[in-house]
Each structure stands twice: as structure tokens, then as C-alpha cells.
């Protein structure tokens, strides 16, 4: 590979590779063109353009001690790492970094499920463990715990959770069920959070804090450390699971649909991430502009059979009163479950059964908003207005009732394989969307790597005091700027000084 | 801000963005049980590594390839799964949609699909996911398995 990390000579880089090999074994340091293809993001809109940041090498430690060693080496040579757990963050950047010449710190070999505690319903995993890995393990061992999964199940439990990935169950905002971390800090030191900081602590995966500030989210969407262990609460298999659909036929009916759902989500009648999907389903970009279709609100109830049925009857009554003519469908599942059969239907997602659906040609810039129908409609209208300037249209993407108080929309734009001009125009369009959303009081909650600076720029209150606080932390924790420079717009001091 | 930073870094570090496409020589040795999951169901964390290296050939190589296929490929390329459905649409039954039914696959094509970005549908698999040895095994499985 003919790419070097920033500021390094060929000789230094050669020495670094030798040291990496001594740390993790020569089989797990990758420098050939063939091997480095997997550390690029082939699903990026800037793939194969001059803007694409390319990896200089990849190093794959198998243990915490090896992570410490390679971080200490990186500090000596001031090498930037980009961290990936399973490398499947597609649509948001995949395994690839922001900076050209980044060395990819590939944690896939750290793939142990360290503990599954059925009694207290939690697990402890390493970063290389995917949702599919944990699911297969639970089923093989007949452990009656359910988990929350994102759409594609090949991602990392740790990676997806600390990137604020969401699922579709009643544990959908998964970061809120994170309990206890182990982190290798940028100086190579190992730290455990919460009750895990007590040697032999018995409450690490039970109580989420210690004394003083809870710091776990400092390591979410950040570049302040390498998370090497994470505890995650799971849920016991419910006696009954009722998967429901509430369907409307017009796009603008998203307004009453969200407003009708809100009091029931706030009041605990609806407890899952009741996502609104396009209905009838059409691929993005394929909508009929005269009638792009309506919405399918997917609601799930977990609990005693009689109770879930009663909740569903109440929900139908409320929707029918608010939106006459609205349509319903439901399917009841009861224990013992035939989960393999259930996994073939759409109902698998709300039961936490991971699958992978091919067709990844999208780039994401996901937005947060109030739990409010008009707010959702305003955002759709804003994005559509900007899209028209580019000869495109935007009719809305899935809206997630992630918690009782907010919604997020996993906003995306399609990409055309091999059409660089179309895809680069998509980048411009998305940056316009992000800037316009900030001007209208909306902010992104998760974006792909090409838009991270624009996303952070929207959080500009008091001359970007929030970003300046992040930079103060970054400079103190990672003075050499080795961990994920540019992640979500947080750059180390030497880069900021060079551009100023 | 982003544009300025990228220009600076590109100037400082970019020697060449060209990929040669050179391929490494085939190595038929392989490791089994790459899946190093160790689990306890009580509250003590156990950390062990079960990686072993074993030379495999013939039926043993094909059997390892079957395991690799089951672990990595079948979630999309299994019966009725998403990639199978896409290939069904693409090939209109002229060519079987399930990879295990194909008789026209070559080692070069399988390797290309696993190691190179060529389509916006299937991602590349990194050597920490499908090692070079496992790649040879899955090639052996798809070329030699009983159709």
C-alpha cells in the first residue's frame, strides 16, 4: 500500500509495521492492497474519488493487552487510528476513517461473549461480537433472553450501541441499557466504569454508575478511548408477543399518526420503538410524486397474553377515533416460540431476531426531532424543498419512536453504483440538508463520515462552546491525537492549529 | 473546515491512490474454529483463546468451507434470503440464485466478490472475518460441493 500516515516517513512507517507485528503477530497486520480493500468504505458516496480517505494499514489485536501495546506504539509515532469493531457501520462510513493514511484498528478478533447472565438478564461482550453471534449463542444454549437488534444484524453490539444505533423492541434506545464498560484510554491505560472500578465489583452490570459523573457516554460517538468490554441489559423472553401494524394511505397523515401515538407512548401503553415505515413499501427514489404512499406504524406488545391483547384493543380504539378508516393488522406469538419461523417475517425485528438484508446503497444523516407530527412534517417539507433544487424529491424516511419523548428519522439518500457524479451531488445535497436543518432548529443525531464536520457545526451555541469543550477533553486525554481524528468533527490540537 | 483539513492531509500523505490488484499466492493451510467465543453463565469473566492452526486438504478443506459459508455467507445467500432473492431477479432462473447450486463459479470470481468492492450490494470481507485460509476453504466448498 502506497499510502502513509500523516507526518510519517517511509522508514518510520516500516518501523511501525515491524512493531505492530511484534505486538499482535505478523498474521494480523495488514498492508497489502488486497487486504486493505476491506478497510475502505465501498458504499460511501466518495468511494474511489480523490476525496476518499484511504487506509495505510490495519492492525488487529486479539486482547486488551495487545490493544494497549499498539496504542503505545501509535503514541510514540503519533499515528492516527480509526477504530472498527465489526466494520459493518455501512451507510455511516463502514470501517473507514476520515483522515487519509489512517491505520485501522480492527477489533474483530476480540470476539468473545464473556458472560451471559440469564438470572439477571445481561451480557458482557467484546467489540468483535455481532448481534448474530449473540443471538446464535442464546438459541444454541436455549437461554430464554431476548435482545434488541438493529436492521442489519452483522454489526457489533458494542459498536452499534456506542454509535447510538437503535433497534425496534422496548430496549430500542440501546445505549440506555448499557451497563459498565472497560476502556483503553489513548495513553494505553485500562479503565473500568461505574461499579466496575471497584476491584471485584459485584454490581458492574447491575448499577450503571459509581460515585461522581457517569462517563460511559464520553466513549459514545467520540474519539476518547477504545471500548474493549461492555455490559448490556437484555430482557427475559415474554410469555406473549403481539406484533401489530397501523396503516395510513397518505404521506401527510404522518402528522395525526404521530400525535395520536404520543400520549400512548408517554403513558406506557406503547413501549417499543414503534417505527413508521413507508407503506405500501417502495424503494427510496421510486415513489410516485403524486402519491408517495403512507405509513405503517409497527407496534409491539410484550407480556401476558390477555394484557397485550387489551393494550392492542385500546390502541385500535384510540386510532380509529382520531383517524377514521385507518387500517390494522396483528399477529400474536406465544411461548414456546418458533423463532426460526418468526425470523422469516418482518416481525423478527421487534422480537430482536437479527438478519441481514442485502441492498446497502444508501448514505445516512439521521435527525433528531420532538415527538410531534408537525415537526416531522416540517422536516420532510424542508428536505423536499432543497431536493427539488437538485432535481430530486424527498418524501420522508423511517421515523422511530425511540423513546417516549423524542423521535429520530434515519434520513438517507440513495446512491448509484459507479455513478460518481450522481453520488458527489448527493454529498452536496446532504450537506445542504444538514445546514438547513440546523437553521430550522433541528440537529442530526448520527451521520456518515463525509458529513461529520457539517453536523457538528450546527451545534454552534455561544461560539461552539460544546465543541470547544470536546476539544479541551480531546487535548487532555489524547494529546497526540491518535484516536479517530475528525470523528464527529472533533479534531486534535495539531490539526486545528494547522488549519488555523 | 473539512475541505481544508482533507487537502492538508492529502498533500502530506498521498503518494498514490492506485490499487495494483496484485494477488497473494494461495496458501492452503488453514485454521479451524476461528470463532473464539468463550462463555460463562455466571458472573466471572473468562478470557481464553482457542485459535488453532491445522493443515487441511481435500474433504476436510471442503468441510471447513461449508462452516465458513454457514457462518458468513448464508445470512444473505441462504435459501430465500435477501441476496438470493436479488440474484433470482437478476438471473431469471437461467443461472441458479443459490450459490451452492452454481456450477459456473471460479476461484477468481469468488475471491473477487469477497475481497473487492465491485458492487454496491455486497461488502468486502476483511481478513479478520474471512482469513486467507478460510477464503481458500470456501472456494473449495463452492467449487467442489455436491450440486
Amino acid at each position: 500500500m502506497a499510502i502513509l500516515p500523516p507526518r510519517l516517513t517511509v522508514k518510520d512507517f516500516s518501523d511501525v509495521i515491524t512493531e505492530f507485528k511484534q505486538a499482535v503477530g505478523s498474521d494480523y497486520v495488514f498492508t497489502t492492497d488486497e487486504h486493505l480493500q476491506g478497510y475502505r468504505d465501498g458504499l460511501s458516496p466518495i468511494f474511489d474519488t480523490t476525496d476518499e480517505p484511504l487506509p495505510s494499514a490495519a492492525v488487529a489485536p486479539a486482547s486488551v493487552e495487545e490493544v494497549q501495546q499498539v496504542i503505545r506504539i501509535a503514541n510514540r509515532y503519533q499515528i492516527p487510528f480509526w477504530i472498527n469493531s465489526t466494520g459493518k457501520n455501512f451507510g455511516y462510513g463502514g470501517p473507514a476513517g476520515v483522515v487519509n493514511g489512517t491505520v485501522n484498528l480492527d477489533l474483530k478478533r476480540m470476539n468473545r461473549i464473556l458472560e451471559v447472565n440469564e438470572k439477571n438478564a445481561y451480557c458482557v461482550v467484546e467489540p468483535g461480537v455481532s448481534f448474530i453471534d449473540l443471538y446464535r449463542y442464546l438459541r444454541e444454549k436455549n437461554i430464554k433472553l431476548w435482545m434488541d437488534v438493529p436492521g442489519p444484524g452483522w454489526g457489533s453490539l458494542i459498536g452499534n450501541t456506542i454509535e447510538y444505533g437503535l433497534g425496534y423492541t422496548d430496549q430500542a434506545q440501546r445505549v440506555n441499557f448499557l451497563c459498565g464498560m472497560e476502556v483503553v484510554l489513548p495513553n494505553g491505560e485500562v479503565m473500568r466504569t461505574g461499579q466496575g472500578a471497584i476491584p471485584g465489583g459485584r454490581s458492574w452490570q447491575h448499577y450503571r454508575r459509581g460515585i461522581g459523573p457517569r462517563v460511559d457516554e464520553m466513549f459514545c460517538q467520540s474519539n476518547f478511548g477504545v471500548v474493549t468490554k461492555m455490559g448490556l441489559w437484555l430482557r427475559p423472553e415474554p410469555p406473549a408477543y403481539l406484533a401489530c401494524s397501523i396503516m395510513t394511505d397518505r404521506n401527510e397523515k404522518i402528522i395525526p399518526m404521530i400525535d395520536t401515538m404520543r400520549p400512548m407512548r408517554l403513558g406506557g401503553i406503547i413501549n417499543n420503538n414503534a417505527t413508521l415505515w413507508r407503506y405500501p413499501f417502495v424503494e427510496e427514489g421510486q415513489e410516485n410524486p403524486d402519491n408517495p404512499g403512507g405509513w405503517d406504524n409497527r407496534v409491539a406488545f410484550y407480556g401476558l397474553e390477555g394484557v397485550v391483547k387489551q393494550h392492542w384493543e385500546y390502541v385500535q380504539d384510540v386510532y380509529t377515533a382520531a383517524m377514521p378508516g385507518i387500517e390494522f393488522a396483528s399477529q400474536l406469538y406465544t411461548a414456546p416460540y418458533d423463532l426460526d419461523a418468526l425470523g422469516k417475517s418482518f416481525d423478527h425485528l421487534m422480537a430482536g431476531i437479527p438478519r441481514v438484508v442485502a441492498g446497502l446503497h444508501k448514505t445516512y444523516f439521521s435527525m433528531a426531532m420532538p415527538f410531534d407530527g408537525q415537526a416531522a412534517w416540517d422536516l420532510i417539507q424542508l428536505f423536499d424543498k432543497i431536493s427539488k433544487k437538485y432535481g430530486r424529491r424527498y418524501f420522508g424516511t423511517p421515523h422511530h419512536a425511540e423513546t417516549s419523548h423524542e423521535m429520530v428519522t434515519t434520513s438517507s439518500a440513495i446512491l448509484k453504483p459507479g455513478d460518481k457524479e450522481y453520488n458527489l451531488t448527493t454529498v452536496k445535497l446532504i450537506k445542504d440538508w444538514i445546514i438547513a436543518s440546523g437553521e430550522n432548529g433541528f440537529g442530526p443525531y448520527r451521520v456518515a463520515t463525509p458529513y461529520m464536520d457539517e453536523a457538528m457545526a450546527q451545534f454552534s451555541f455561544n461560539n461552539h462552546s460544546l465543541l470547544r469543550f470536546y476539544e479541551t477533553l480531546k487535548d487532555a486525554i489524547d494529546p497526540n491525537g491518535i484516536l479517530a481524528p475528525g470523528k464527529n468533527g472533533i479534531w486534535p490540537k495539531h490539526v486545528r492549529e494547522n488549519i488555523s | 473546515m473539512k475541505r481544508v483539513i482533507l487537502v492538508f492531509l492529502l498533500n502530506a500523505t498521498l503518494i498514490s491512490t492506485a490499487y495494483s490488484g496484485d494477488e497473494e499466492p494461495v496458501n492452503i493451510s488453514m485454521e479451524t474454529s476461528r470463532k473464539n467465543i468463550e462463555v460463562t453463565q455466571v458472573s466471572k469473566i473468562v478470557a481464553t483463546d482457542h485459535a488453532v492452526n491445522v493443515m487441511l486438504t481435500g474433504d476436510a478443506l471442503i468441510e471447513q468451507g461449508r462452516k465458513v459459508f454457514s457462518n458468513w455467507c448464508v445470512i444473505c445467500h441462504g435459501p430465500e434470503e435477501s441476496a438470493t432473492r436479488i440474484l433470482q431477479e437478476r438471473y431469471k432462473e437461467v443461472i441458479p440464485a443459490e450459490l451452492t447450486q452454481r456450477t459456473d463459479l471460479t476461484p477468481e470470481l469468488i475471491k473477487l466478490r469477497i475481497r473487492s468492492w465491485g458492487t454496491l450490494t455486497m461488502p468486502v470481507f476483511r481478513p479478520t472475518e474471512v482469513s486467507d485460509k478460510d477464503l481458500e476453504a470456501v472456494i473449495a466448498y463452492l467449487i467442489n460441493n455436491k450440486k
Side-chain angles (χ1 to χ4, degrees):
Chain A
M1 193 76 185
I3 307 293
L4 290 175
R7 302 181 293 175
L8 243 67
T9 64
V10 172
K11 167 70 169 60
D12 283 344
F13 190 49
S14 174
D15 292 345
V16 167
I17 295 299
T18 302
E19 289 195 39
F20 281 157
K21 286 180 176 177
Q22 287 167 352
V24 305
S26 57
D27 286 348
Y28 300 107
V29 179
F30 306 105
T31 55
T32 66
D33 290 348
E34 179 191 319
H35 285 152
L36 292 181
Q37 292 296 309
Y39 297 93
R40 300 172 68 190
D41 178 15
L43 303 169
S44 166
I46 57 174
F47 177 70
D48 223 14
T49 70
T50 52
D51 287 341
E52 183 195 356
L54 295 169
S56 57
V59 56
S63 67
V64 178
E65 292 74 22
E66 289 184 3
V67 172
Q68 291 178 274
Q69 285 183 58
V70 297
I71 280 184
R72 286 175 180 139
I73 295 165
N75 267 304
R76 282 205 304 279
Y77 291 89
Q78 302 195 354
I79 290 174
F81 274 138
W82 191 264
I83 308 155
N84 89 71
S85 299
T86 61
K88 297 291 185 285
N89 196 23
F90 293 125
Y92 289 107
V98 175
V99 172
N100 204 51
T102 303
V103 173
N104 200 294
L105 183 60
D106 181 347
L107 304 175
K108 181 61 197 170
R109 293 178 67 218
M110 299 176 69
N111 60 1
R112 294 172 303 165
I113 298 167
L114 295 163
E115 182 185 355
V116 174
N117 188 311
E118 189 169 6
K119 186 178 76 173
N120 287 101
Y122 68 77
C123 64
V124 182
V125 294
E126 292 187 325
V129 176
S130 72
F131 292 90
I132 291 172
D133 291 334
L134 181 62
Y135 178 76
R136 285 174 176 167
Y137 181 80
L138 294 176
R139 297 289 81 84
E140 279 169 15
K141 303 291 181 187
N142 197 27
I143 296 171
K144 295 197 182 304
L145 294 175
W146 283 21
M147 52 197 280
D148 180 81
V149 303
W154 53 12
S156 160
L157 266 107
I158 289 182
N160 185 268
T161 301
I162 69 176
E163 288 297 315
Y164 298 148
L166 56 83
Y168 302 90
T169 70
D170 52 357
Q171 296 183 324
Q173 195 172 64
R174 205 175 314 103
V175 71
N176 289 338
F177 298 89
L178 184 164
C179 192
M181 276 181 173
E182 178 185 88
V183 183
V184 178
L185 298 170
N187 65 0
E189 193 175 14
V190 181
M191 179 177 80
R192 289 185 175 181
T193 65
Q195 298 290 316
I198 296 171
R202 294 172 64 170
S203 308
W204 194 16
Q205 273 67 56
H206 302 264
Y207 185 74
R208 301 197 299 157
R209 300 171 187 84
I211 290 292
R214 180 173 186 244
V215 297
D216 298 63
E217 288 206 45
M218 291 260 297
F219 303 100
C220 295
Q221 287 203 356
S222 82
N223 46 17
F224 298 154
V226 180
V227 180
T228 49
K229 290 182 181 65
M230 182 186 79
L232 186 67
W233 291 344
L234 306 173
R235 65 156 8 265
E237 174 187 282
Y241 158 51
L242 185 60
C244 308
S245 274
I246 306 164
M247 295 156 284
T248 62
D249 58 353
R250 299 289 300 184
N251 205 25
E252 62 273 18
K253 287 187 180 174
I254 194 171
I255 301 171
M257 188 156 239
I258 289 173
D259 291 340
T260 304
M261 182 186 4
R262 182 177 53 245
M264 293 187 284
R265 187 76 172 93
L266 279 166
I269 302 295
I270 295 174
N271 281 315
N272 77 309
N273 172 11
T275 294
L276 289 95
W277 302 90
R278 173 66 60 203
Y279 174 79
F281 179 77
V282 285
E283 290 285 355
E284 254 175 280
Q286 304 296 318
E287 301 97 335
N288 173 2
D290 295 327
N291 181 12
W295 299 94
D296 179 359
N297 186 195
R298 300 278 302 172
V299 178
F301 302 94
Y302 314 91
L304 298 171
E305 184 176 338
V307 174
V308 300
K309 283 179 175 174
Q310 195 174 4
H311 277 198
W312 176 226
E313 284 172 16
Y314 175 78
V315 168
Q316 291 177 91
D317 289 345
V318 171
Y319 271 100
T320 302
M323 302 173 68
I326 199 163
E327 293 178 20
F328 304 103
S330 65
Q331 180 68 48
L332 177 70
Y333 302 92
T334 54
Y337 297 93
D338 181 1
L339 292 172
D340 288 336
L342 197 148
K344 294 290 180 190
S345 80
F346 191 78
D347 296 346
H348 72 279
L349 274 180
M350 296 187 296
I353 300 172
R355 293 183 70 195
V356 174
V357 178
L360 303 163
H361 49 289
K362 287 183 184 176
T363 181
Y364 284 88
F365 62 104
S366 298
M367 307 292 299
M369 67 182 78
F371 206 128
D372 181 84
Q374 191 60 48
W377 188 244
D378 288 348
L379 198 60
I380 290 172
Q381 296 295 95
L382 177 66
F383 285 177
D384 192 33
K385 184 180 165 188
I386 295 165
S387 299
K388 285 176 179 170
K389 290 198 295 186
Y390 291 85
R392 303 185 193 181
R393 297 297 302 271
Y394 179 87
F395 300 107
T397 44
H399 286 63
H400 307 277
E402 196 188 25
T403 70
S404 55
H405 285 68
E406 44 85 11
M407 296 193 88
V408 295
T409 180
T410 39
S411 334
S412 58
I414 57 166
L415 299 172
K416 291 188 177 177
D419 190 337
K420 290 180 188 175
E421 190 180 335
Y422 181 93
N423 295 337
L424 287 174
T425 302
T426 301
V427 173
K428 288 182 194 164
L429 167 62
I430 290 179
K431 289 182 178 180
D432 279 0
W433 270 334
I434 291 171
I435 292 165
S437 65
E439 290 168 353
N440 284 271
F442 292 104
Y445 86 91
R446 186 182 180 194
V447 299
T449 44
Y451 330 119
M452 285 179 167
D453 285 324
E454 284 75 13
M456 181 58 86
Q458 304 315 307
F459 297 81
S460 60
F461 172 76
N462 191 19
N463 189 25
H464 303 268
S465 57
L466 181 61
L467 175 58
R468 286 186 286 112
F469 179 68
Y470 292 148
E471 289 169 349
T472 301
L473 293 173
K474 180 69 175 169
D475 295 344
I477 297 168
D478 184 11
N480 292 322
I482 63 159
L483 289 188
K487 170 90 174 182
N488 285 322
I490 305 170
W491 291 92
K493 193 173 187 179
H494 72 269
V495 177
R496 302 198 307 272
E497 286 176 346
N498 268 310
I499 61 166
S500 64
Chain B
M1 175 167 145
K2 173 73 165 297
R3 189 181 305 116
V4 179
I5 290 164
L6 280 179
V7 168
F8 160 71
L9 292 166
L10 283 165
N11 286 343
T13 63
L14 187 63
I15 295 174
S16 165
T17 58
Y19 285 90
S20 69
D22 291 343
E23 294 181 353
E24 290 186 19
V26 170
N27 182 350
I28 60 164
S29 68
M30 63 177 313
E31 60 188 27
T32 57
S33 187
R34 288 186 60 253
K35 205 81 194 139
N36 301 327
I37 292 178
E38 174 70 22
V39 181
T40 64
Q41 287 180 239
V42 290
S43 61
K44 185 180 177 186
I45 289 175
V46 174
T48 57
D49 191 334
H50 286 173
V52 289
N53 283 301
V54 182
M55 295 289 289
L56 292 181
T57 55
D59 288 347
L61 183 67
I62 292 170
E63 172 57 17
Q64 175 63 13
R66 189 191 62 75
K67 289 179 184 170
V68 174
F69 190 84
S70 297
N71 193 43
W72 287 106
C73 313
V74 84
I75 52 172
C76 288
H77 286 286
E80 298 175 36
E81 297 296 352
S82 55
T84 301
R85 289 202 301 272
I86 289 172
L87 294 177
Q88 224 155 16
E89 179 65 24
R90 185 179 297 171
Y91 296 140
K92 309 287 185 194
E93 297 183 5
V94 176
I95 300 173
E98 280 187 49
L99 300 185
T100 52
Q101 304 302 315
R102 295 271 291 266
T103 55
D104 62 326
L105 295 175
T106 63
E108 293 75 19
L109 179 63
I110 298 167
K111 184 173 181 178
L112 189 72
R113 281 285 171 259
I114 292 175
R115 288 284 193 248
S116 300
W117 291 102
T119 143
L120 282 181
T121 300
M122 178 170 162
V124 167
F125 285 82
R126 306 189 311 282
T128 49
E129 298 172 305
V130 178
S131 68
D132 289 347
K133 295 160 189 170
D134 282 351
L135 176 63
E136 294 313 313
V138 81
I139 287 171
Y141 170 66
L142 287 173
I143 299 294
N144 297 301
N145 93 87
K146 308 292 183 290
K147 308 292 183 189

